[in-house]
Amino acid sequence: MPLSDRRLALSPDAPDAPGAADDAVTPAPKPAKRTKTGGVEPAEVPKKPAALPKTADKLAKLGLKSDIDLALHLPMRYEDETTLMPIGELIPGDNAQTEGIVFENEIAYRPRRQLLVKIRDDAGDELTLRFLNFYGSQVKQMAVGVRLRVRGDVRGGFFGLEMVHPALRPVDDDTPLPQALTPVYPSTAGVSQAYLRKAIDNAVGRVSLPELLPEKIARTYLQPLNVPGLLDAVKTLHHPRADSDEPALVDGTHPAWTRIKFEELLAQQLSLKRAHEERRTRAAPVMPRRSLHEPDSLVVRFLGTLPFRLTGAQERVCAEIAAELTLPHPMQRLLQGDVGSGKTVVAALAAAQAIDAGYQAALMAPTEILAEQHARKLRGWLEPLGVTVAWLAGSLKTREKRAALEAAASGVAQLVIGTHAIIQDAVEFARLGLVIVDEQHRFGVAQRLALRAKAQNAADGARDFQPHQLMMSATPIPRTLAMTYYADLDVSTIDELPPGRTPILTKLVSDARREEVIGRVREAALTGRQVYWVCPLIEESETLQLQTAVETYETLATTLPELRVGLVHGRLPPAEKAAVMDAFTRNEVQLLVATTVIEVGVDVPNASLMVIEHAERFGLAQLHQLRGRVGRGSAASVCVLMYAGPLSQTARARLQTMRETTDGFEIARRDLEIRGPGEFLGARQSGEAMLRFASLENDAWLIEPARAAADHMLREFPDAVTRHLLRWLGAREQYLKA
Ligand code: ADP
Ligand code: MG
């Protein structure tokens, strides 16, 4: 009867006898605690010692190593076992609890081996319980004459109402019902709810959970929230009282939840802010700003030769970056600006400041096409001013590569531009002082760290040395997200496009009108404009995607013999890729058929028409990036989103968003709405990994008070900060140090 034993022991009014299972949940490393609370004598070792380490291991895997861990392992949802439904009132589709006496118990063999147990309640109504997997002990547990309390999904079976594999326990006719909701805990396979409940119950009974928030903080930030004390909140969540606001417990808005979420968000903010402060203690190269009266300054000469005037927004972010580069602490700044807002020139100016100060700068981009284009652009700007630029990519011939490596290692190369190739082991820098990462969200944390680590030579003996880092992104992050994900980054935002851009008109066109679209392409090309044709994304198979691109290219080339058509995709040998892009840049190719390799950064201002096939398959950010390839010159641009129906609801929402707005911030906001924050940024690089209870979607309103409290605590109560972080994040805080 192990099942019934456990379930009985769980009910709140059952005597809390420290027994075998109790002991098992407190793993070996904590003996002192057990003796202190004094409950257990040596004789009471577990009855089945072999099972002990296994379950403790599994608990440890859930992160449950101490009583506090267990007490803070809060329910993910609740089950309502407070009421019994008469069998006669059950309706197929319900999840319900009912009770009856077994009057039949048989193993049937058709259509397959199964246990059929029938119960009848006091009113005489019957319910079949069906078990496809079962043990002999279960057959006995449900012997004829036993009263069973069962809970599960009601189905209309062949022989009347049934439940398949219901949760059940034998009861007496006076066994009380739980008075309140039953918690359901996050678990892994092998740790049953019953076991967890008991383990947690015991822990909550033993644990003292002192308030760690200083009185002043509690008064200022908690009191207005009207939330209970911590231990009180924890107890309420594990054992809701019969009179609690059940819907609020279930949907997470109960004051007890608010209390917990606040604590957690506070921990997250503290952690992020501390990482930010810690940066101030590390050393970085000082790069003084050269004044306009120093004509030999690269920055000054560069500005003098720039073919356009910086926008106000560009000037502002340049000033923010320039000022921070003069400090002896590493900059860690995110430069966000919509597609086409002109981030490259801002990066070039930062690089020039580093070079002026005698340091090297490195610029890493996620694709070879983009890196190549940066190289071309920055060379065009800086080489005439005497700067040596090196190019590093996977596709280089051995001899060229050796030359580039030498130039970086000797310091001859003042600016090194490339792809991931820059972070390979063989690459060394003489005096790397500034690291620039374009489209930073395309890189993992590890890759950014690897680039940062290349700077050791520039340390001049300084310990904890870091280069300055400038990360660029065209995927703007809404404010609440920025506060939680990037609280340890400083953010500069370009919120203005260079003048003279004409807005892009976006059209949604069913792919049934493909011929018509091809006609438009011909017309546009013949009037001197250039066109992108983006091939469908085929996520399941790169080969298929490639094949589609080649076929699309061939059909379009045949259908449009009067046009010069080019093809670019990820598998093209780099030299060919570069040749095609070059030809397109020089307007020798009028129609460029492309896969998403052109998604990031490609800049050909004369291109003013883009067709995206199967636009419904792309994500919003991707569509926005793609569309950003047009609208860069003075000609009015058009983006045709061709789609194949039927459209899913989210695909429709995405396409409509694209038609309605070209504002990257608005698109990011809607994208967040459609997808939720986890997917939006990829949890990998985010502070969300620290959140178990609070959700950025539902609890955004708590972020601001948590942030304010974090600032206050860091200022006045540094010891409380440490204790709070230990309790709520423990080892997980390390995760964020990247
Ligand atoms: P993104 O922010 O998407 O990386 P780019 O840096 O590629 O944008 O800039 C887009 C285009 O705008 C480039 O051709 C660039 O030379 C041009 N550009 C940048 N700043 C200005 C400006 N202030 N005035 C005119 N054109 C500019
Ligand atoms: Mg760019």
Side-chain angles (χ1 to χ4, degrees):
M1 312 285 94
L3 190 59
S4 117
D5 281 355
R6 283 197 213 153
R7 289 299 292 260
L8 284 172
L10 286 173
S11 76
D13 37 14
D16 192 14
D22 175 17
D23 209 7
V25 301
T26 307
K30 291 256 154 199
K33 198 155 224 159
R34 295 291 295 122
T35 6
K36 232 190 332 199
T37 43
V40 177
E41 261 138 84
E44 289 186 308
V45 287
K47 282 163 200 139
K48 280 181 270 175
L52 164 71
K54 263 167 91 189
T55 316
D57 275 358
K58 283 174 188 156
L59 283 182
K61 227 178 232 159
L62 285 168
L64 306 178
K65 294 183 181 153
S66 67
D67 282 349
I68 290 205
D69 293 338
L70 281 163
L72 295 182
H73 193 67
L74 296 169
M76 57 179 177
R77 60 188 175 84
Y78 297 90
E79 276 171 0
D80 187 352
E81 299 181 340
T82 58
T83 49
L84 285 177
M85 289 272 265
I87 293 175
E89 285 174 28
L90 295 180
I91 295 171
D94 277 355
N95 181 289
Q97 177 169 258
T98 187
E99 214 174 277
I101 294 173
V102 178
F103 67 93
E104 207 178 294
N105 173 324
E106 62 165 11
I107 297 175
Y109 289 90
R110 248 172 277 153
R112 51 178 284 199
R113 185 170 179 271
Q114 51 187 296
L115 173 63
L116 295 176
V117 173
K118 296 189 177 174
I119 60 172
R120 183 183 291 134
D121 69 6
D122 304 337
D125 293 307
E126 295 173 8
L127 174 70
T128 302
L129 313 178
R130 188 188 294 275
F131 302 85
L132 302 173
N133 303 300
F134 55 94
Y135 298 107
S137 60
Q138 279 175 297
V139 181
K140 277 188 229 142
Q141 182 187 28
M142 296 183 279
V144 171
V146 171
R147 177 179 275 270
L148 288 180
R149 188 172 288 171
V150 301
R151 208 176 55 75
D153 293 327
V154 181
R155 306 201 318 187
F158 193 64
F159 298 106
L161 291 180
E162 65 172 28
M163 285 184 185
V164 180
H165 286 264
L168 61 93
R169 58 187 280 211
V171 289
D172 299 324
D173 51 8
D174 59 355
T175 303
L177 283 165
Q179 292 299 298
L181 297 178
T182 310
V184 180
Y185 294 103
S187 183
T188 54
V191 183
S192 72
Q193 284 298 318
Y195 189 89
L196 259 179
R197 275 177 204 147
K198 183 154 172 58
I200 289 169
D201 257 18
N202 289 328
V204 171
R206 278 192 299 260
V207 82
S208 71
L209 204 56
E211 297 278 342
L212 295 183
L213 295 184
E215 151 66 24
K216 188 168 166 192
I217 297 288
R219 195 161 9 94
T220 317
Y221 304 97
L222 276 181
Q223 211 161 304
L225 297 176
N226 245 324
V227 291
L230 185 60
L231 189 59
D232 192 13
V234 165
K235 285 186 169 162
T236 302
L237 295 174
H238 287 302
H239 283 302
R241 280 197 309 270
D243 58 352
S244 351
D245 179 352
E246 292 186 355
L249 277 172
V250 170
D251 72 15
T253 55
H254 193 283
W257 275 125
T258 306
R259 171 69 205 246
I260 300 294
K261 290 173 175 183
F262 178 84
E263 295 265 340
E264 186 181 52
L265 285 167
L266 175 61
Q268 188 212 35
Q269 292 298 315
L270 286 171
S271 172
L272 291 166
K273 278 171 194 291
R274 235 176 33 174
H276 191 270
E277 281 182 1
E278 198 183 80
R279 203 148 29 92
R280 307 270 142 196
T281 67
R282 275 175 258 154
V286 173
M287 301 171 174
R289 265 164 117 168
R290 307 287 291 269
S291 91
L292 292 178
H293 311 296
E294 294 178 73
D296 64 325
S297 147
L298 180 60
V299 172
V300 173
R301 287 184 297 141
F302 179 29
L303 282 172
T305 55
L306 204 61
F308 48 74
R309 284 191 50 157
L310 295 182
T311 62
Q314 281 171 321
E315 281 194 359
R316 177 173 45 74
V317 301
C318 280
E320 285 165 8
I321 293 165
E324 206 175 356
L325 292 179
T326 65
L327 303 176
H329 314 299
M331 171 172 85
Q332 201 156 307
R333 186 170 286 272
L334 178 69
L335 171 60
Q336 56 177 11
D338 207 346
V339 179
S341 61
K343 295 184 288 294
T344 316
V345 68
V346 175
L349 278 161
Q353 187 169 343
I355 294 167
D356 262 341
Y359 289 94
Q360 291 170 295
L363 168 57
M364 179 163 76
T367 68
E368 191 148 339
I369 285 191
L370 181 55
E372 173 93 50
Q373 185 181 290
H374 280 321
R376 200 182 312 126
K377 188 155 235 165
L378 293 177
R379 280 190 152 134
W381 280 334
L382 298 176
E383 277 182 351
L385 303 175
V387 175
T388 308
V389 180
W391 162 249
L392 253 181
S395 64
L396 283 184
K397 300 211 178 65
T398 318
R399 200 164 35 84
E400 298 165 322
K401 190 168 203 167
R402 197 176 309 139
L405 289 178
E406 239 172 65
S410 66
V412 166
Q414 294 158 294
L415 175 59
V416 179
I417 301 176
T419 57
H420 302 77
I422 289 193
I423 53 175
Q424 271 151 20
D425 288 345
V427 185
E428 278 180 41
F429 289 85
R431 281 174 70 74
L432 181 59
L434 170 67
V435 160
I436 304 168
V437 181
D438 196 12
E439 307 294 343
Q440 64 93 23
H441 57 283
R442 292 296 199 91
F443 292 100
V445 173
Q447 290 167 315
R448 294 207 305 264
L449 288 181
L451 184 50
R452 192 164 94 184
K454 297 276 176 205
Q456 279 312 316
N457 287 338
D460 298 330
R463 284 183 44 223
D464 288 337
F465 177 89
Q466 267 186 22
H468 297 289
Q469 290 184 81
L470 181 63
M471 289 164 272
M472 305 200 280
S473 173
T475 305
I477 297 140
R479 199 178 127 74
T480 46
L481 276 194
M483 285 195 306
T484 48
Y485 284 86
Y486 290 120
D488 69 327
L489 291 188
D490 298 298
V491 179
S492 290
T493 304
I494 307 182
D495 52 6
E496 174 187 2
L497 292 180
R501 300 277 164 86
T502 42
I504 307 168
L505 179 66
T506 300
K507 297 185 172 175
L508 308 187
V509 177
S510 153
D511 68 354
R513 291 166 58 194
R514 194 184 159 92
E515 293 308 312
E516 208 181 304
V517 171
I518 293 177
R520 291 282 301 274
V521 168
R522 176 191 286 116
E523 246 171 69
L526 291 181
T527 54
R529 291 154 65 184
Q530 287 175 276
V531 185
Y532 291 104
W533 187 290
V534 181
C535 295
L537 182 69
I538 302 173
E539 276 186 343
E540 313 82 68
S541 159
E542 201 193 340
T543 320
L544 211 56
Q545 174 158 337
L546 213 63
Q547 194 185 327
T548 313
V550 172
E551 282 165 14
T552 309
Y553 164 73
E554 282 166 358
T555 343
L556 285 172
T558 320
T559 324
L560 300 167
E562 60 276 58
L563 303 189
R564 287 179 307 271
V565 186
L567 170 66
V568 63
H569 58 70
R571 282 296 179 80
L572 224 50
E576 258 179 72
K577 217 187 294 181
V580 176
M581 290 311 294
D582 249 17
F584 192 59
T585 311
R586 287 197 305 269
N587 200 358
E588 285 158 19
V589 161
Q590 295 158 296
L591 170 59
L592 184 64
V593 179
T595 57
T596 49
V597 293
I598 60 148
E599 176 191 343
V600 283
V602 172
D603 183 35
V604 179
N606 192 46
S608 61
L609 174 59
M610 170 171 283
V611 179
I612 303 179
E613 267 197 271
H614 280 289
E616 77 279 1
R617 295 187 191 167
F618 293 88
L620 257 184
Q622 214 170 13
L623 286 173
H624 179 60
Q625 285 273 353
L626 282 168
R627 181 173 60 184
R629 301 310 111 212
V630 294
R632 300 189 153 228
S634 48
S637 291
V638 176
C639 177
V640 177
L641 301 179
M642 262 206 290
Y643 63 86
L647 292 177
S648 73
Q649 210 163 3
T650 53
R652 187 181 305 272
R654 287 198 299 267
L655 294 180
Q656 261 159 12
T657 301
M658 287 301 292
R659 183 171 56 191
E660 281 163 25
T661 176
T662 53
D663 175 347
F665 281 84
E666 176 62 16
I667 288 176
R669 202 185 58 70
R670 299 222 202 152
D671 199 16
L672 178 65
E673 227 169 66
I674 297 172
R675 288 200 292 168
E679 253 185 274
F680 180 80
L681 286 168
R684 189 55 197 86
Q685 58 180 335
S686 73
E688 196 184 33
M690 290 193 288
L691 298 178
R692 280 180 294 172
F693 310 117
S695 110
L696 299 180
E697 275 148 299
N698 304 329
D699 308 310
W701 66 283
L702 273 174
I703 295 174
E704 197 61 64
R707 213 158 87 103
D711 279 336
H712 195 158
M713 259 171 92
L714 282 164
R715 250 187 350 260
E716 288 185 33
F717 307 100
D719 293 347
V721 169
T722 309
R723 286 199 301 271
H724 188 86
L725 284 174
L726 206 62
R727 172 179 287 176
W728 287 96
L729 296 182
R732 281 179 311 154
E733 201 193 349
Q734 279 315 113
Y735 188 87
L736 207 87
K737 287 291 155 61

